[in-house]
Structures are given as C-alpha cells and as structure tokens.
Amino acid sequence: GAGVSQSPSNKVTEKGKDVELRCDPISGHTALYWYRQRLGQGLEFLIYFQGNSAPDKSGLPSDRFSAERTGESVSTLTIQRTQQEDSAVYLCASSSTYREQYFGPGTRLTVT
Amino acid sequence: AQSVTQLGSHVSVSEGALVLLRCNYSSSVPPYLFWYVQYPNQGLQLLLKYTTGATLVKGINGFEAEFKKSETSFHLTKPSAHMSDAAEYFCAVSTEYGNKLVFGAGTILRVKS
C-alpha cells in the first residue's frame, strides 16, 4: 500500500477486556515498531521487529502487552485485561533496513 | 540511556515571524536525530533528520535544524511561520539509523494571524 495502515482507528473497551490492534506496514519494509502516545505526552517505544530476528520487547510496560508479526507483514498488538491507564493512541511505524520510520495514523484506545 | 528534552510545551508565534523549537538530547554514543510533525488526528510525518555529515540539515516545508554536539542540541527553525505550520512537533533520537526512537514530550506550535 501507499503507507502504513492501522485498524481500528478508534476502539472503546471496558476495563478487563482484551483488545487487538492491527498494523499493516509498507510493503517491503523489514522493520516494524509499536509506540504508545498518552494524552499530552511524547511517544513511548513498546516493541520492535526486524526481519527474522528476535523482537526487542524492552518497552512493553507489563506482561499484559504482547505483539506478533508474521514474516515481514502484518503485526498485531494485544493488550489483555485492559486497564484505564492503557488508554492512549497506539502508533505503528515501519522502515526499510536502517532507514527512517514511517508512521501510521494510530489507533485511539479508550478503556472505560 | 538516551533522552530528549523539548523546552516549552507550547510556543506561540505570529504569522511571518521566526519559529524556534528547542531540543536537547542525551546520548552516550553518536546520535541520530529527527524532527517529526503531527497534525491533529494524523500520524507523524518526518520533517528532517541528522545522521552524519553536514550539521545543518534542511527538511520539508522550509524547516531546518542544526546539530551542535558541544551543546547537545538540535533546535528546529523556520524563518517565517505560516498558519499551516500549526501542529505538534516532536524531537527524537536513536543510536542507530532505523532503530527504536526515543521521543521528547512534544511542542505545540500556535501561529497567530
């Protein structure tokens, strides 16, 4: 596609429910990143996939957060047992090897 | 560990005036530095980047930034603000071109007519 796409664009869920957020990177991009943007704050790194290497999970805030990526395609970020502090915009980015990151429009998650 | 500090969460300028958004970084290794812009309800767009070489880098929409190692700074400037420049600007650093980015908290730029 022309750019990074994310779905859904908005998600409202009740506290304690699980959610899945999807990211479709730019075709051919080997690297994929997830970031979280809380209201009024900068972006926090969550997880990074590079090709077939083991992902860098150092930014995941708790074991309720996990992500998968199949090859060099779609990635899914899963949050289990959501909490109100998980409310944020979740941004996905992709890049070619050692090039700049291109960001998707984000998924706005609201936990009620 | 790396970190980024953006001085001023909100900056207001008049249309046609100089835009100066400040960014200071901390890095134990040579940094790669970036400025991104985020318009309301949109994703981030890369304005410009510094990797190696020339310390004055030019980006899109008339923006430029200068890498000053001695001051650990990478301030963003534009000689003349336009109304369309109103957005939130993020400075970011990484240690390796294409690796994870560490972002500042962002600066919201308001342009007054």
PDB file of all heavy atoms in Angstrom, chain A residues 37-57:
ATOM      1  N   GLN A  37       1.232   6.674  22.718  1.00  0.00           N
ATOM      2  CA  GLN A  37       1.211   8.117  22.969  1.00  0.00           C
ATOM      3  C   GLN A  37       0.064   8.421  23.924  1.00  0.00           C
ATOM      4  O   GLN A  37      -1.101   8.404  23.516  1.00  0.00           O
ATOM      5  CB  GLN A  37       1.048   8.900  21.666  1.00  0.00           C
ATOM      6  CG  GLN A  37       1.116  10.400  21.833  1.00  0.00           C
ATOM      7  CD  GLN A  37       1.034  11.129  20.503  1.00  0.00           C
ATOM      8  OE1 GLN A  37       0.502  10.614  19.516  1.00  0.00           O
ATOM      9  NE2 GLN A  37       1.569  12.334  20.459  1.00  0.00           N
ATOM     10  N   ARG A  38       0.397   8.688  25.163  1.00  0.00           N
ATOM     11  CA  ARG A  38      -0.619   9.072  26.135  1.00  0.00           C
ATOM     12  C   ARG A  38      -0.914  10.548  25.972  1.00  0.00           C
ATOM     13  O   ARG A  38      -0.090  11.328  25.492  1.00  0.00           O
ATOM     14  CB  ARG A  38      -0.155   8.759  27.547  1.00  0.00           C
ATOM     15  CG  ARG A  38      -0.067   7.272  27.826  1.00  0.00           C
ATOM     16  CD  ARG A  38       0.488   7.018  29.196  1.00  0.00           C
ATOM     17  NE  ARG A  38       0.315   5.641  29.606  1.00  0.00           N
ATOM     18  CZ  ARG A  38       0.894   5.127  30.684  1.00  0.00           C
ATOM     19  NH1 ARG A  38       1.669   5.869  31.435  1.00  0.00           N
ATOM     20  NH2 ARG A  38       0.694   3.861  31.007  1.00  0.00           N
ATOM     21  N   LEU A  39      -2.091  10.956  26.407  1.00  0.00           N
ATOM     22  CA  LEU A  39      -2.541  12.332  26.239  1.00  0.00           C
ATOM     23  C   LEU A  39      -1.523  13.304  26.811  1.00  0.00           C
ATOM     24  O   LEU A  39      -1.128  13.206  27.966  1.00  0.00           O
ATOM     25  CB  LEU A  39      -3.894  12.512  26.924  1.00  0.00           C
ATOM     26  CG  LEU A  39      -4.559  13.870  26.733  1.00  0.00           C
ATOM     27  CD1 LEU A  39      -4.901  14.075  25.261  1.00  0.00           C
ATOM     28  CD2 LEU A  39      -5.811  13.984  27.589  1.00  0.00           C
ATOM     29  N   GLY A  40      -1.093  14.258  25.975  1.00  0.00           N
ATOM     30  CA  GLY A  40      -0.178  15.292  26.422  1.00  0.00           C
ATOM     31  C   GLY A  40       1.257  14.855  26.617  1.00  0.00           C
ATOM     32  O   GLY A  40       2.062  15.593  27.173  1.00  0.00           O
ATOM     33  N   GLN A  41       1.580  13.647  26.142  1.00  0.00           N
ATOM     34  CA  GLN A  41       2.925  13.139  26.324  1.00  0.00           C
ATOM     35  C   GLN A  41       3.534  12.757  24.983  1.00  0.00           C
ATOM     36  O   GLN A  41       2.860  12.680  23.968  1.00  0.00           O
ATOM     37  CB  GLN A  41       2.903  11.929  27.253  1.00  0.00           C
ATOM     38  CG  GLN A  41       2.389  12.229  28.649  1.00  0.00           C
ATOM     39  CD  GLN A  41       2.482  11.034  29.566  1.00  0.00           C
ATOM     40  OE1 GLN A  41       3.301  10.136  29.368  1.00  0.00           O
ATOM     41  NE2 GLN A  41       1.659  11.022  30.595  1.00  0.00           N
ATOM     42  N   GLY A  42       4.841  12.540  25.012  1.00  0.00           N
ATOM     43  CA  GLY A  42       5.523  12.070  23.817  1.00  0.00           C
ATOM     44  C   GLY A  42       5.257  10.599  23.585  1.00  0.00           C
ATOM     45  O   GLY A  42       4.488   9.967  24.301  1.00  0.00           O
ATOM     46  N   LEU A  43       5.902  10.062  22.589  1.00  0.00           N
ATOM     47  CA  LEU A  43       5.704   8.659  22.245  1.00  0.00           C
ATOM     48  C   LEU A  43       6.644   7.780  23.063  1.00  0.00           C
ATOM     49  O   LEU A  43       7.812   8.082  23.235  1.00  0.00           O
ATOM     50  CB  LEU A  43       5.979   8.426  20.759  1.00  0.00           C
ATOM     51  CG  LEU A  43       4.866   8.808  19.813  1.00  0.00           C
ATOM     52  CD1 LEU A  43       4.785  10.302  19.626  1.00  0.00           C
ATOM     53  CD2 LEU A  43       5.057   8.122  18.467  1.00  0.00           C
ATOM     54  N   GLU A  44       6.088   6.667  23.551  1.00  0.00           N
ATOM     55  CA  GLU A  44       6.878   5.679  24.273  1.00  0.00           C
ATOM     56  C   GLU A  44       7.060   4.460  23.374  1.00  0.00           C
ATOM     57  O   GLU A  44       6.083   3.925  22.848  1.00  0.00           O
ATOM     58  CB  GLU A  44       6.154   5.201  25.522  1.00  0.00           C
ATOM     59  CG  GLU A  44       5.717   6.242  26.511  1.00  0.00           C
ATOM     60  CD  GLU A  44       4.798   5.610  27.547  1.00  0.00           C
ATOM     61  OE1 GLU A  44       5.271   4.823  28.396  1.00  0.00           O
ATOM     62  OE2 GLU A  44       3.565   5.873  27.475  1.00  0.00           O
ATOM     63  N   PHE A  45       8.289   4.004  23.238  1.00  0.00           N
ATOM     64  CA  PHE A  45       8.576   2.796  22.483  1.00  0.00           C
ATOM     65  C   PHE A  45       8.009   1.578  23.205  1.00  0.00           C
ATOM     66  O   PHE A  45       8.125   1.458  24.423  1.00  0.00           O
ATOM     67  CB  PHE A  45      10.095   2.648  22.327  1.00  0.00           C
ATOM     68  CG  PHE A  45      10.530   1.292  21.861  1.00  0.00           C
ATOM     69  CD1 PHE A  45      10.381   0.920  20.535  1.00  0.00           C
ATOM     70  CD2 PHE A  45      11.077   0.386  22.759  1.00  0.00           C
ATOM     71  CE1 PHE A  45      10.784  -0.335  20.108  1.00  0.00           C
ATOM     72  CE2 PHE A  45      11.490  -0.858  22.348  1.00  0.00           C
ATOM     73  CZ  PHE A  45      11.343  -1.228  21.019  1.00  0.00           C
ATOM     74  N   LEU A  46       7.400   0.683  22.451  1.00  0.00           N
ATOM     75  CA  LEU A  46       6.868  -0.541  23.027  1.00  0.00           C
ATOM     76  C   LEU A  46       7.660  -1.770  22.562  1.00  0.00           C
ATOM     77  O   LEU A  46       8.210  -2.512  23.374  1.00  0.00           O
ATOM     78  CB  LEU A  46       5.392  -0.720  22.653  1.00  0.00           C
ATOM     79  CG  LEU A  46       4.424   0.334  23.204  1.00  0.00           C
ATOM     80  CD1 LEU A  46       3.010   0.063  22.690  1.00  0.00           C
ATOM     81  CD2 LEU A  46       4.448   0.345  24.723  1.00  0.00           C
ATOM     82  N   ILE A  47       7.709  -1.991  21.241  1.00  0.00           N
ATOM     83  CA  ILE A  47       8.327  -3.208  20.723  1.00  0.00           C
ATOM     84  C   ILE A  47       8.798  -2.969  19.295  1.00  0.00           C
ATOM     85  O   ILE A  47       8.265  -2.118  18.586  1.00  0.00           O
ATOM     86  CB  ILE A  47       7.331  -4.402  20.785  1.00  0.00           C
ATOM     87  CG1 ILE A  47       8.020  -5.722  20.432  1.00  0.00           C
ATOM     88  CG2 ILE A  47       6.132  -4.142  19.888  1.00  0.00           C
ATOM     89  CD1 ILE A  47       7.150  -6.947  20.756  1.00  0.00           C
ATOM     90  N   TYR A  48       9.823  -3.718  18.867  1.00  0.00           N
ATOM     91  CA  TYR A  48      10.469  -3.531  17.565  1.00  0.00           C
ATOM     92  C   TYR A  48      10.736  -4.897  16.962  1.00  0.00           C
ATOM     93  O   TYR A  48      11.319  -5.757  17.609  1.00  0.00           O
ATOM     94  CB  TYR A  48      11.752  -2.739  17.788  1.00  0.00           C
ATOM     95  CG  TYR A  48      12.826  -2.778  16.732  1.00  0.00           C
ATOM     96  CD1 TYR A  48      12.540  -2.567  15.392  1.00  0.00           C
ATOM     97  CD2 TYR A  48      14.161  -2.969  17.094  1.00  0.00           C
ATOM     98  CE1 TYR A  48      13.552  -2.561  14.437  1.00  0.00           C
ATOM     99  CE2 TYR A  48      15.169  -2.958  16.161  1.00  0.00           C
ATOM    100  CZ  TYR A  48      14.874  -2.745  14.833  1.00  0.00           C
ATOM    101  OH  TYR A  48      15.878  -2.724  13.894  1.00  0.00           O
ATOM    102  N   PHE A  49      10.297  -5.068  15.708  1.00  0.00           N
ATOM    103  CA  PHE A  49      10.574  -6.271  14.932  1.00  0.00           C
ATOM    104  C   PHE A  49      11.514  -5.914  13.785  1.00  0.00           C
ATOM    105  O   PHE A  49      11.302  -4.926  13.087  1.00  0.00           O
ATOM    106  CB  PHE A  49       9.278  -6.833  14.320  1.00  0.00           C
ATOM    107  CG  PHE A  49       8.251  -7.281  15.314  1.00  0.00           C
ATOM    108  CD1 PHE A  49       7.291  -6.398  15.796  1.00  0.00           C
ATOM    109  CD2 PHE A  49       8.221  -8.590  15.767  1.00  0.00           C
ATOM    110  CE1 PHE A  49       6.341  -6.812  16.706  1.00  0.00           C
ATOM    111  CE2 PHE A  49       7.268  -9.020  16.674  1.00  0.00           C
ATOM    112  CZ  PHE A  49       6.318  -8.127  17.149  1.00  0.00           C
ATOM    113  N   GLN A  50      12.551  -6.717  13.577  1.00  0.00           N
ATOM    114  CA  GLN A  50      13.466  -6.523  12.452  1.00  0.00           C
ATOM    115  C   GLN A  50      13.659  -7.870  11.771  1.00  0.00           C
ATOM    116  O   GLN A  50      14.366  -8.738  12.277  1.00  0.00           O
ATOM    117  CB  GLN A  50      14.808  -5.961  12.920  1.00  0.00           C
ATOM    118  CG  GLN A  50      15.858  -5.902  11.821  1.00  0.00           C
ATOM    119  CD  GLN A  50      15.477  -4.975  10.680  1.00  0.00           C
ATOM    120  OE1 GLN A  50      15.212  -3.801  10.876  1.00  0.00           O
ATOM    121  NE2 GLN A  50      15.435  -5.516   9.469  1.00  0.00           N
ATOM    122  N   GLY A  51      13.045  -8.024  10.632  1.00  0.00           N
ATOM    123  CA  GLY A  51      13.189  -9.242   9.858  1.00  0.00           C
ATOM    124  C   GLY A  51      12.839 -10.476  10.684  1.00  0.00           C
ATOM    125  O   GLY A  51      11.817 -10.530  11.357  1.00  0.00           O
ATOM    126  N   ASN A  52      13.741 -11.470  10.646  1.00  0.00           N
ATOM    127  CA  ASN A  52      13.522 -12.709  11.374  1.00  0.00           C
ATOM    128  C   ASN A  52      14.208 -12.735  12.732  1.00  0.00           C
ATOM    129  O   ASN A  52      14.198 -13.767  13.410  1.00  0.00           O
ATOM    130  CB  ASN A  52      14.019 -13.897  10.541  1.00  0.00           C
ATOM    131  CG  ASN A  52      13.186 -14.083   9.276  1.00  0.00           C
ATOM    132  OD1 ASN A  52      11.973 -13.937   9.322  1.00  0.00           O
ATOM    133  ND2 ASN A  52      13.840 -14.385   8.174  1.00  0.00           N
ATOM    134  N   SER A  53      14.782 -11.597  13.126  1.00  0.00           N
ATOM    135  CA  SER A  53      15.458 -11.536  14.424  1.00  0.00           C
ATOM    136  C   SER A  53      14.437 -11.543  15.551  1.00  0.00           C
ATOM    137  O   SER A  53      13.263 -11.206  15.355  1.00  0.00           O
ATOM    138  CB  SER A  53      16.309 -10.269  14.517  1.00  0.00           C
ATOM    139  OG  SER A  53      17.252 -10.213  13.475  1.00  0.00           O
ATOM    140  N   ALA A  54      14.905 -11.924  16.747  1.00  0.00           N
ATOM    141  CA  ALA A  54      14.037 -11.866  17.912  1.00  0.00           C
ATOM    142  C   ALA A  54      13.623 -10.425  18.155  1.00  0.00           C
ATOM    143  O   ALA A  54      14.446  -9.505  18.077  1.00  0.00           O
ATOM    144  CB  ALA A  54      14.768 -12.410  19.133  1.00  0.00           C
ATOM    145  N   PRO A  55      12.350 -10.172  18.453  1.00  0.00           N
ATOM    146  CA  PRO A  55      11.902  -8.795  18.653  1.00  0.00           C
ATOM    147  C   PRO A  55      12.494  -8.179  19.916  1.00  0.00           C
ATOM    148  O   PRO A  55      12.809  -8.873  20.875  1.00  0.00           O
ATOM    149  CB  PRO A  55      10.378  -8.932  18.776  1.00  0.00           C
ATOM    150  CG  PRO A  55      10.140 -10.341  19.176  1.00  0.00           C
ATOM    151  CD  PRO A  55      11.230 -11.144  18.564  1.00  0.00           C
ATOM    152  N   ASP A  56      12.648  -6.860  19.870  1.00  0.00           N
ATOM    153  CA  ASP A  56      13.087  -6.087  21.043  1.00  0.00           C
ATOM    154  C   ASP A  56      11.823  -5.711  21.812  1.00  0.00           C
ATOM    155  O   ASP A  56      11.098  -4.807  21.392  1.00  0.00           O
ATOM    156  CB  ASP A  56      13.855  -4.854  20.586  1.00  0.00           C
ATOM    157  CG  ASP A  56      14.277  -3.943  21.731  1.00  0.00           C
ATOM    158  OD1 ASP A  56      13.858  -4.173  22.889  1.00  0.00           O
ATOM    159  OD2 ASP A  56      15.013  -2.989  21.465  1.00  0.00           O
ATOM    160  N   LYS A  57      11.594  -6.365  22.932  1.00  0.00           N
ATOM    161  CA  LYS A  57      10.377  -6.149  23.712  1.00  0.00           C
ATOM    162  C   LYS A  57      10.612  -5.255  24.922  1.00  0.00           C
ATOM    163  O   LYS A  57       9.778  -5.193  25.823  1.00  0.00           O
ATOM    164  CB  LYS A  57       9.845  -7.498  24.219  1.00  0.00           C
ATOM    165  CG  LYS A  57       9.560  -8.512  23.131  1.00  0.00           C
ATOM    166  CD  LYS A  57       9.047  -9.806  23.743  1.00  0.00           C
ATOM    167  CE  LYS A  57       8.763 -10.855  22.695  1.00  0.00           C
ATOM    168  NZ  LYS A  57       8.254 -12.124  23.293  1.00  0.00           N
TER     169      LYS A  57
END
